[in-house]
Structure formats: C-alpha cells, structure tokens
C-alpha cells in the first residue's frame, strides 16, 4: 500500500542528509582545523590587495545595473538551452516564440547600450 507522499521519500532523505551535513561539517572543521592566529590572518583581505577606504563605502549605481544585466542574460541562456533541445518538436511556433523572446532582450540591450550603462569609464 503506497501513500501519495511515497515518491517524495528520496527527496526527504536528501534534504535531511543535507541539513545534517550543514550542521556537522562546520563543527568538525572548527574542532580539527589548525589554530594559529596571527595579525596577518586577522587583517581584512580583498582579492590580494591591501584594503583601502572604509568598509561601508558606497558603490556606484552602475555596478548594480551591470549585475542586473548579467542576471537577465543569464536567465536568457537558461531558457535558450531547453528550447534548443526541443527545437524540432516545437516547430515554427517555438521558433517564433524564441524570436520574440530574443528580440525583446536585444532591444533591451540596445537601449542599455545607448544609455551608456555598459561604459565603465564614465
């Protein structure tokens, strides 16, 4: 006799295992890891460079615009792969759908380009 939730048992086991490992691994590394503190290890580290300026420094809005653009085009790539896999099954309708989707993104890219959001120097 199976219950409606029986297919979800493997998922529950994986989630339980992930939760247990998320609690155990930090504990094990803190107990078994090396403990040799020094002033060099305690100083802030920023990509191999010495820290400059306060930690609460404001970022330019341009940084966030570029980050959002990256996410938009990353999502486009995520939609593009399943479409390419099912291209023959979708036929012309699927081709037109992707053409509309890609053209809206191209129009958005042209708009952002004309606004100068991709210029790092300005």
């Amino acid at each position: 006799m199976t219950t409606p939730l029986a297919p979800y048992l493997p998922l529950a086991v994986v989630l339980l295992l992930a939760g247990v490992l998320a609690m155990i691994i930090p504990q094990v590394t803190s107990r078994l890891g090396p403990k040799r503190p020094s002033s060099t290890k305690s100083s802030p580290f920023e990509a191999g460079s010495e820290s400059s300026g306060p930690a609460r420094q404001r970022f330019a809005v341009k940084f966030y615009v570029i980050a959002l653009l990256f996410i938009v085009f990353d999502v486009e790539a995520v939609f593009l792969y399943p479409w390419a896999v099912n291209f023959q099954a979708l036929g012309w309708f699927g081709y037109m759908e992707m053409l509309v989707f890609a053209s809206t993104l191209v129009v958005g890219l042209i708009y952002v380009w004309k606004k100068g959001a991709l210029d790092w120097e300005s």
Side-chain angles (χ1 to χ4, degrees):
M1 177 180 218
T2 62
T3 65
L5 297 177
Y8 295 103
L9 182 63
L11 180 63
V13 170
V14 168
L15 290 176
L16 181 67
L17 182 64
V20 169
L21 284 176
M23 289 186 277
I24 290 176
I25 288 175
Q27 294 297 322
V28 170
T29 57
S30 67
R31 293 181 199 278
L32 298 179
K35 295 170 186 66
R36 295 185 203 113
S38 68
S39 61
T40 305
K41 290 180 183 178
S42 299
S43 66
F45 178 77
E46 294 181 10
S49 304
E50 290 292 324
S51 299
S52 61
R56 301 285 182 224
Q57 178 180 345
R58 289 182 162 222
F59 287 102
V61 174
K62 203 170 284 275
F63 171 78
Y64 297 107
V65 171
I66 295 295
L68 286 172
L69 287 172
F70 174 77
I71 291 171
V72 165
F73 288 105
D74 196 34
V75 168
E76 178 190 11
V78 168
F79 283 129
L80 198 60
Y81 180 74
W83 171 79
V85 169
N86 294 323
F87 179 69
Q88 288 183 340
L90 295 173
W92 282 104
F93 178 72
Y95 180 75
M96 295 308 288
E97 275 186 328
M98 188 51 70
L99 190 64
V100 169
F101 177 69
S103 64
T104 56
L105 288 172
V106 167
V107 168
L109 177 63
I110 292 170
Y111 173 77
V112 168
W113 197 339
K114 294 286 184 184
K115 283 290 199 176
L118 301 177
D119 295 332
W120 283 104
E121 282 77 33
S122 58

